[in-house]
Amino acid sequence: MFIIKVDPKSVEDLLQPVVVIGLGMVTEQWELPFHCHQKGELLFADTGLITLETERDLWIVPPQGAVWIPGGLRHRAKCSGNPRGFVAFIEPSTCPELPKSCCTLSVSPFLRALLERIAALPQNYQPDSAASRLIAVLLDEIIAAPPEWLRLPMPTDRRLRELTDTLLASPALRITLEQWSRRLNMSERNLSRRFSEETGSSINRWRRQMHVIKALPLLAQGLSVQQIADQLGYDSAGAFVTMFRKSTGTPPRRFIAERMDNIHSPLKIPSDGFCEY
């Protein structure tokens, strides 16, 4: 279950243009179905790992990262690894400079501290108050936050989507380009060209990126590198580590550890008034 501290149960019922809410952990995993709201949403993972899916992309949000979801975008989210963090709901007209498309963002210690401070403030803040000035700084920091690369583009072509859905469901599956072309009734050249046009990536590069996306929740759950390599179909743990390092610049364990090292203080979430989201 995913719970947030807020009085109205509907996001659209939030009266203030910007509201920051603490996310608390009830179970080690939670999942939300596809939904949509007009307010933009910043979802920050203090601990745990969030996977966000839209109709065109998959996004991975590691600890100390965030994902920005523009208002009106259908999305669903799930989390593993003892999730805690913050969510900010922002009325689009409040800050036109916010990103127009979904993206993952690197969160600085200052931005994290702002989220924690604002989440502890009363939600019925007044214009020109100290709270409203903090929120103005928060919006500036979100705009300035550098983007991260943890995105997996999804094709719209029905045949190509069959390919990607199959690989997502069975990441260890090994099928050659020739086999895929016969299965999808496409020439190898046309298959490669269409896939690159729709995703901006070759099939092999997309598959490696998918393996990184699949590996991060498993790392957050504490699985060993060997177990993850086996699940993803690698011949050895070393082969998986080499792929991960080439893709991210960091070995898998260090990638998660460095994220957790950025946590400077325990997350403070008020214990009263929790309700389901």
Side-chain angles (χ1 to χ4, degrees), residues 27 56 59 63 66 155 167 169 175 178 181 186 228 244 269:
T27 63
R56 288 299 307 270
W59 304 87
L167 291 176
I175 300 180
E178 179 184 3
S181 65
M186 302 173 70
I228 297 171
F244 194 99
I269 298 177

Side-chain angles (χ1 to χ4, degrees), residues 10 49 55 111 225 230 255:
S10 169
L49 190 139
E55 294 176 350
L111 177 51
V225 170
D230 291 342
F255 184 92

Side-chain angles (χ1 to χ4, degrees), residues 34 40-43 50-61 66-77 98-105 147-153:
F34 269 108
E41 178 180 358
L42 182 78
L43 189 55
I50 297 168
T51 302
L52 182 91
E53 182 179 355
T54 69
E55 294 176 350
R56 288 299 307 270
D57 298 286
L58 288 175
W59 304 87
I60 198 75
V61 187
V67 60
W68 168 252
I69 309 160
L73 181 66
R74 275 176 50 82
H75 61 281
R76 64 181 177 184
L98 288 168
K100 299 298 188 292
S101 57
C102 193
C103 58
T104 46
L105 301 172
E148 295 194 308
W149 54 268
L150 295 170
R151 165 181 171 261
L152 189 66

Side-chain angles (χ1 to χ4, degrees), residues 130-167:
S132 67
R133 290 191 290 274
L134 279 175
I135 286 171
V137 177
L138 172 68
L139 296 175
D140 286 342
E141 286 297 303
I142 294 174
I143 293 169
E148 295 194 308
W149 54 268
L150 295 170
R151 165 181 171 261
L152 189 66
M154 301 295 288
T156 56
D157 182 281
R158 176 184 55 80
R159 293 170 297 177
L160 300 183
R161 194 59 183 256
E162 179 185 342
L163 186 160
T164 55
D165 287 349
T166 299
L167 291 176

Side-chain angles (χ1 to χ4, degrees), residues 90-100 139-140 143:
I90 303 173
E91 189 69 36
S93 60
T94 304
C95 188
E97 295 84 3
L98 288 168
K100 299 298 188 292
L139 296 175
D140 286 342
I143 293 169

Side-chain angles (χ1 to χ4, degrees), residues 14-86:
L14 296 171
L15 299 179
Q16 297 290 3
V18 179
V19 175
V20 179
I21 301 159
L23 306 180
M25 182 194 74
V26 176
T27 63
E28 291 188 356
Q29 301 188 43
W30 52 255
E31 184 168 355
L32 295 174
F34 269 108
H35 63 286
C36 180
H37 39 75
Q38 291 308 305
K39 287 183 172 62
E41 178 180 358
L42 182 78
L43 189 55
F44 165 67
D46 197 73
T47 62
L49 190 139
I50 297 168
T51 302
L52 182 91
E53 182 179 355
T54 69
E55 294 176 350
R56 288 299 307 270
D57 298 286
L58 288 175
W59 304 87
I60 198 75
V61 187
Q64 302 303 295
V67 60
W68 168 252
I69 309 160
L73 181 66
R74 275 176 50 82
H75 61 281
R76 64 181 177 184
K78 61 182 178 180
C79 189
S80 58
N82 300 329
R84 295 175 74 85
F86 297 99

